[in-house]
């Protein structure tokens, strides 16, 4: 089942528009705010936003329409961990010819009996990438108990950057208010996202409030005021999609612009209109018309392959091995597949569009799929929002089988997408027929099989072997771990986690052959200190899965998403000599979740000195609703306890 985030349509009621309080708030801190030591509604909070205001409006600056954003915030620091809130980053965007400007940055640190103002030379401008930068500063003289205030103005020539307001963040807020004045020429779709409700939702119309010099007449304006009180901190936890799907915010999307000459520019378009534009788009549609070039690059043995599936795999391997990914996504960003191919370096779009071209050149039915990565958020499906997309893959059809392909990483096997791309739905297009939504389903066969054999000798020494085989995404993750760490660091990390244990020999098979499972074999030697005349404990779970419960929140309002289903098995075979005996044998256990969405079981059989323990964890589902969270939390608590407490005790016979 796909995840759903709450979309609540905002109902506007006509009322008088109150004056925005930002201009009179700055440099006014009460004694109660200085004396505050804890936030009663969240006693675990390290800091809290006492007040926060935003005001957005349109203005004519140097004969051009600008979007102007004023911002003000007051923050209370409650403990040492909260001092990190004193580091402020203000983002700005720059295009090819225009850029945003941040002005009038002011900041004050309030402590009992003193104030410290931010100096102009303490604000630094930092480049993030070609399109984004930040102005950064740190409040001076910040202590536990400080009250911080800051404000700034941003002037933007990009009317698309009227995107709304984030009410929720990673620290709680006592009050957050957003005001806007929008000329009637600009028409926006607006949506309240997240799980919090508005405390203030007001709108009115101001007549003839906006004029452009040289144009006849004035436009009316819509005056908006939205506010929330007592907003809890958004607490991130493991196994979730982007928090952008769930944060409480008011989102604006430009629908249409009525020009002062009476014309109309429509921005909320149909997919039919988008499909027509995409055929001519220089970064996507035009880049897919290069198959003649790529046909000349493909090896003859690939093009002459009779089997369509083998041919597609050959094309995929050729492109994947040819390119080095530069780490960028590059959708709608001056893609040039011919140049990228010649330089053997490209972004995601260039690499995967090269793959699309090459597959088409090999007469494989291929479509381009645009999607949004897990980190960016779920794309809007009710109408096209092109800014939602930031990634591109290939989709091929051979007979009745369909494969989704991404050639950016060497560790990816045919049909396996990187985890970042597993975001439920993408928009498939062949630039001839109408585009359509296509489900992004993870590779289903993901297993980790572990076998441990341990033999205890009569003198109390012990040796053993551990073999582990990974398939699917678990193999992909293992290979990525090797690529990042290297073998020596990988083994050192493992030994650091093993008590009384040394890895005396290690073998790995099929590390580079990503189309096959990766198999590791560890030869284990136990330190003499690990065995004693008294009881010795054997741990059958040398390599634990989910060693700690990843779910610790009292309540989780957003879904749990593991990205893919998976199966873990462990078989532990112990052999002890006749002068030893087992003190205990673990009891059999089985527990399930939500009618079989997850199953965990352990079974032990002992005959004389031979002991056989088998364990299996099956996550049949990778998506769980918030209503299932408590049951899921309990399931993983039992799993953690099972692995931690399962110890097999042996001792010498008297």
């Amino acid at each position: 089942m796909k995840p759903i985030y709450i979309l609540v349509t905002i109902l506007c009621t006509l009322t008088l528009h109150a004056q925005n309080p930002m201009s009179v708030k700055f440099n006014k801190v009460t004694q109660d705010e200085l004396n505050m030591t804890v936030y009663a509604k969240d006693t675990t909070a390290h800091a809290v936003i006492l007040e926060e205001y935003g005001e957005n409006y349109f203005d004519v600056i140097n004969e051009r329409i600008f979007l102007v954003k004023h911002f003000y915030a007051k923050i209370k620091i409650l403990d040492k961990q909260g001092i990190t809130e004193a580091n402020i980053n203000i983002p700005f965007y720059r295009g090819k010819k225009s850029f945003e400007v941040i002005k009038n940055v002011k900041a004050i640190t309030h402590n009992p009996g003193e104030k410290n103002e931010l100096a102009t030379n303490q604000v630094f401008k930092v480049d993030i990438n070609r399109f984004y930068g930040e102005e950064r500063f740190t409040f001076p003289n910040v202590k536990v108990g400080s009250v911080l205030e800051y404000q700034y103005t941003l002037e933007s020539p990009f009317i698309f950057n009227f995107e709304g307001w984030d009410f929720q963040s990673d620290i709680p807020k006592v009050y957050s208010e957003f005001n806007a004045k929008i000329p009637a020429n600009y028409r926006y779709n607006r949506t309240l996202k997240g799980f919090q409700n508005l405390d203030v939702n007001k709108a009115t119309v101001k007549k003839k409030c906006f004029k452009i010099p040289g144009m006849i007449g004035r436009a009316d304006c819509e005056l908006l005021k939205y506010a929330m009180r007592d907003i809890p901190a958004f607490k991130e936890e493991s196994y979730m999609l982007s928090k952008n799907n769930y944060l409480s915010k008011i989102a604006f999307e430009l629908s249409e612009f009525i020009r002062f000459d009476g014309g109309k520019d429509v921005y909320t378009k149909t997919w039919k209109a988008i499909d027509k534009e995409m055929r001519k788009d220089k970064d996507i549609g035009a880049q897919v018309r290069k198959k003649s070039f790529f046909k000349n690059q493909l090896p003859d043995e690939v093009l002459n392959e009779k089997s369509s599936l083998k041919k597609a795999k050959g094309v995929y391997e050729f492109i994947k091995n040819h390119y080095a990914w530069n780490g960028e996504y590059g959708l709608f960003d001056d893609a040039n597949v011919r140049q990228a191919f010649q330089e053997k370096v490209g972004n995601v779009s260039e690499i995967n569009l090269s793959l699309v071209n090459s597959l088409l050149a090999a007469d494989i039915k291929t479509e381009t799929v645009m999607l949004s990565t897990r980190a960016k958020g779920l794309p809007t499906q009710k109408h096209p929002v092109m800014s939602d997309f930031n990634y591109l893959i290939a989709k091929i059809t051979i007979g009745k089988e369909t494969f989704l392909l991404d050639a950016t990483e060497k560790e990816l096997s045919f049909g396996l997408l990187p985890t970042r791309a597993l975001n439920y739905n993408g928009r498939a297009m062949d630039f001839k027929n109408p585009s359509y939504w296509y489900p992004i389903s993870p590779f289903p066969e993901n297993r980790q099989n572990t076998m441990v054999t341990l033999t205890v000798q009569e003198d109390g020494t012990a040796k053993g072997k551990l073999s582990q085989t990974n398939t699917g995404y678990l193999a992909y993750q293992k290979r990525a771990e090797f690529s990042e760490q290297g073998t020596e660091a990988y083994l050192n990390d493992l030994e650091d986690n093993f008590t009384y244990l040394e890895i005396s020999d290690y073998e790995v098979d099929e590390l580079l052959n990503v189309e096959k499972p990766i198999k590791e074999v560890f030869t284990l030697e136990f330190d003499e200190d690990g065995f004693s005349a008294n009881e010795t404990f054997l741990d059958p779970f040398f390599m634990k899965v989910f060693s700690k419960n990843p779910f610790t929140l009292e309540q989780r309002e957003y879904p749990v998403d593991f990205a893919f289903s998976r199966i873990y098995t462990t078989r532990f075979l112990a052999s002890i000599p006749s002068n030893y005996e087992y003190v205990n044998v673990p009891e059999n256990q089985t527990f399930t979740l939500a009618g079989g969405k997850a199953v965990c079981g352990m079974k032990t059989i002992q005959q004389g000195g031979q002991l056989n323990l088998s364990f299996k964890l099956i996550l049949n589902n990778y998506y769980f609703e918030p209503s299932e969270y408590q049951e899921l939390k309990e399931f993983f608590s039992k799993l953690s306890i099972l692995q931690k407490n399962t110890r097999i005790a042996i001792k010498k016979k008297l």
Side-chain angles (χ1 to χ4, degrees), residues 223-260:
L223 305 183
L224 304 173
K225 181 178 180 179
Y226 303 122
M228 288 186 184
R229 296 184 178 92
D230 301 328
I231 310 158
F234 184 87
K235 296 183 179 180
E236 294 187 59
E237 196 177 48
S238 301
Y239 303 106
M240 61 178 284
L241 296 177
S242 171
K243 67 179 181 181
N244 294 328
N245 299 319
Y246 315 118
L247 280 171
S248 292
K249 66 178 74 173
I250 178 77
F252 285 77
E253 178 198 348
L254 184 61
S255 173
E256 61 183 23
F257 172 62
I258 310 299
R259 298 196 299 269
F260 287 89

Side-chain angles (χ1 to χ4, degrees), residues 154-193:
L154 183 146
E155 295 177 355
S156 174
F158 310 108
I159 59 173
F160 293 99
N161 279 8
F162 185 85
E163 296 175 335
W165 181 258
D166 290 345
F167 287 103
Q168 196 171 29
S169 70
D170 58 355
I171 63 173
K173 300 180 182 181
V174 177
Y175 185 76
S176 180
E177 179 181 304
F178 176 68
N179 297 272
K181 182 171 70 173
I182 307 174
N185 309 64
Y186 297 91
R187 297 179 181 176
Y188 287 86
N189 299 320
R190 64 202 71 174
T191 307
L192 179 66
K193 298 183 178 182

